[in-house]
Amino acid sequence: MSVTTAPPPPVRRRGRPGRTQFRTSLAGLGFMAPFLVVFALVFLAPLAYSIYLSLFRDQLIGGNSFVGFENYLQAFGDPKFWDGALRVAIFLVVQVPVMLVLALVAALALDSGRLHGSSFFRIGIFLPYAVPAVVAVLMWGFMYSERLGLAGNINSFVGFDLVTPFTQQWILVAIGNIVTWSFVGYNMLIFYSALRTISPDLYEAAGLDGAGQFRILWSIKIPALRGAIVIATIFSIIGSFQLFNEPNILKTIVPNLIPTYFTPNMYAYNLSFVGQQYNYAATIAIIMGLITAIIAYVVQLRGNRKELS
Amino acid sequence: MSLFIIYSLLPLVWLFINSTKTQADLISTFGLWFSGDFVFFENVAQTLTYDNGIFVRWLGNTLLYVVLGAGGATLLATLGGYGLAKYNFPGKKAIFAVILGAVAVPGTALAVPTFLMFSQLGLTNTIWAIIIPSLISPFGLYLIWVYAADSVPTEILEAARVDGASELRTFFTISIRLLAPGIVTVALFAIVATWNNYFLPLIMLSEPNLFPLTIGLQQWNLQGTGVGADPIFNLVLTGSLLTIVPIVVAFLLLQRFWQSGLSAGGVKQ
């Protein structure tokens, strides 16, 4: 979150060396300690263990042995891995912009103040965020179904197969729709909160200068949103690369359409919990983690550079 | 905007309508309107009693995970964020850098090794496998950090110090009140994260008695497919509805708090 945000100003402390300073710095550490202990246990230790695992391999002969970067080489030549990676990349390039633009439009409409019952709209659009992925997928899965759901109703109404979410070419779109539905309100809220921090004085000054609505949007609102957009983009990128819940749950409804390596995350999951290939699964996870971190970093750099120019 | 709201609420309306239908009507009648027998209450009763009331058990588990996991996460984030905002201590910058760096690593990379570690510690298939990882909310830590820097004046802390109050006492009597909206926001998002948690229990638990609602519902849904299918789709839908009601109510009731907490904290420039 704070990657793009300047840290709050440091605590100003009058020059009072000695006991008090020692006491407060001990207290600061004390407040941090519980978080740090658990953090080390559930973040740092598994991360280190993951890297360790990726450098070994269970072999028929010789048992568990150090293989250096062999697992990584195997992953780079693994068509199943690339298939999943390409799929989430396509998903990222299409779904994330669609979702963020929708969220932006909704936030600007809410902020324009010309909308009656804006708090109803705000909470209504945000509500899907509170729905667990499992329920979201079950709901949409039923609605997509040509036998049980709305898709079937629509098709029998028009008399031919107009809506067919459960086909090879539409399944990724179907998943994209579920993800968009779940998170568009969350992103809208991020944008909306950023818009609310704009001082009314600015609008007034712009009005005096004779700026129109479009000019205000372009010169005041969009620049004010830049940080929020960067944050939302980074979150969405991480989410896309981690895509797991939606396809994995949908797989139980349409097992034939979604292979076990549909996304890299599903591939890693199936490798370790179905195939017991822990070392290779850890390798896949680390590669995806690195790719995600690099792309998120680049987005952040670009976002910040624009801010300077 | 009306299109937006229809898009957002339509699935929920659909869910409610279809939780009033029998399994047969679910298939044979139009999905977006009430028709056939109205069996909502029968469905609820059946959901709660099916398989010796396992759904109630799952609900209880979910509540336990939420209270301990999200409650603990909120406490740790509040203490830590406050410590970061209001105290200087050696290694503060390094600590913050490490936390940020680790957050950039996707959860995927951690799932497998966490599972292996926990299984060696004998923690898999226990409630701790769910609760301990839920205790960390880096987003919550960050939110409180920004919030505390703004809303707890350093002068008050200095004054309390001069009066001889201990740091912990100052925190619990003064600071915690000033932090309240931030704490509610962090708690609410931690509750949602724990309530909706799917991946973690999926890998950690194999004992149905420990399942949270999310995994349980998925299990029921699985019953309807494959060999020897025994579909209970009406219960899956009614169960889904019952699962989202408490969380939706929590969001609606605490609206005022989390909206102000969010605009003051996480997304501030």
Side-chain angles (χ1 to χ4, degrees), chain A residues 66-104:
Chain A
F66 182 78
V67 292
F69 288 102
E70 258 180 59
N71 287 326
Y72 290 88
L73 290 177
Q74 186 190 342
F76 283 121
D78 184 346
K80 285 181 175 174
F81 169 66
W82 287 115
D83 186 66
L86 187 68
R87 193 171 287 115
V88 290
I90 294 171
F91 186 87
L92 173 74
V93 171
V94 178
Q95 188 266 339
V96 171
V98 169
M99 174 178 69
L100 293 183
V101 167
L102 285 176
L104 193 59

Side-chain angles (χ1 to χ4, degrees), chain A residues 2 11 16 23-25 32 34 50 102 122 126 130 132 134 138 142 148 153 177 181 189 242 244 252 265, chain B residues 4 7-8 14 27 31 76 80 85 87-88 108-109 142 158 161 167 196 198-199 218 221 247 251 258-259:
Chain A
S2 73
V11 186
R16 247 195 311 176
R23 200 186 89 170
T24 57
S25 97
M32 271 313 289
S50 191
L102 285 176
R122 202 162 60 218
F126 177 69
V134 174
L138 289 179
F142 272 108
L148 287 170
N153 293 145
N177 176 50
W181 180 78
L189 211 62
Q242 290 202 58
F244 176 84
T252 59
N265 207 349
Chain B
F4 265 112
Y7 173 63
S8 298
W14 181 90
I27 299 169
L76 295 190
Y87 294 94
N88 277 323
T108 343
Y142 170 74
E158 305 258 348
R161 228 164 263 150
E167 301 295 330
N196 297 353
Y198 173 77
F199 192 50
Q218 169 68 350
N221 189 47
I247 211 88
F251 260 104
W258 59 263
Q259 295 209 354

Side-chain angles (χ1 to χ4, degrees), chain A residues 7 23 34 44 55-56 60 81 99 134 141 165 173 195 214 220:
Chain A
R23 200 186 89 170
L44 299 185
L55 301 176
F56 285 78
L60 284 177
F81 169 66
M99 174 178 69
V134 174
V173 176
L195 283 172
F214 182 76
I220 299 179

Side-chain angles (χ1 to χ4, degrees), chain B residues 116-228:
Chain B
L116 292 175
M117 250 177 58
F118 276 31
S119 92
Q120 274 167 13
L121 295 170
L123 288 175
T124 45
N125 254 326
T126 69
I127 59 167
W128 304 111
I130 308 303
I131 292 170
I132 295 175
S134 305
L135 289 175
I136 289 300
S137 164
F139 170 64
L141 180 86
Y142 170 74
L143 205 94
I144 296 286
W145 179 42
V146 179
Y147 202 87
D150 267 1
S151 65
V152 182
T154 307
E155 289 73 21
I156 292 188
L157 301 185
E158 305 258 348
R161 228 164 263 150
V162 171
D163 288 346
S166 77
E167 301 295 330
L168 212 56
R169 192 187 145 90
T170 312
F171 172 76
F172 279 111
T173 53
I174 299 171
S175 311
I176 208 163
R177 273 180 226 172
L178 298 169
L179 289 174
I183 295 175
V184 173
T185 311
V186 171
L188 205 57
F189 279 87
I191 289 171
V192 174
T194 327
W195 189 278
N196 297 353
N197 204 342
Y198 173 77
F199 192 50
L200 190 67
L202 180 70
I203 60 175
M204 292 292 182
L205 304 176
S206 54
E207 166 61 51
N209 274 328
L210 293 175
F211 284 172
L213 288 168
T214 48
I215 305 292
L217 283 174
Q218 169 68 350
Q219 203 77 1
W220 275 5
N221 189 47
L222 271 175
Q223 272 195 32
T225 55
V227 188

Side-chain angles (χ1 to χ4, degrees), chain A residues 182-199:
Chain A
S182 300
F183 291 102
V184 76
Y186 176 76
N187 288 300
M188 173 197 75
L189 211 62
I190 292 183
F191 295 151
Y192 179 73
S193 305
L195 283 172
R196 301 305 287 179
T197 62
I198 300 174
S199 151

Side-chain angles (χ1 to χ4, degrees), chain B residues 19-60:
Chain B
S19 67
T20 68
K21 294 180 181 175
T22 63
Q23 186 150 242
D25 288 337
L26 202 57
I27 299 169
S28 60
T29 61
F30 176 61
L32 265 181
W33 199 241
F34 301 95
S35 52
D37 299 326
F38 186 88
V39 292
F40 177 67
F41 297 104
E42 287 88 337
N43 276 339
V44 171
Q46 212 189 335
T47 304
L48 297 179
T49 53
Y50 184 81
D51 197 9
N52 292 322
I54 190 83
F55 187 87
V56 178
R57 170 105 208 188
W58 292 336
L59 179 65

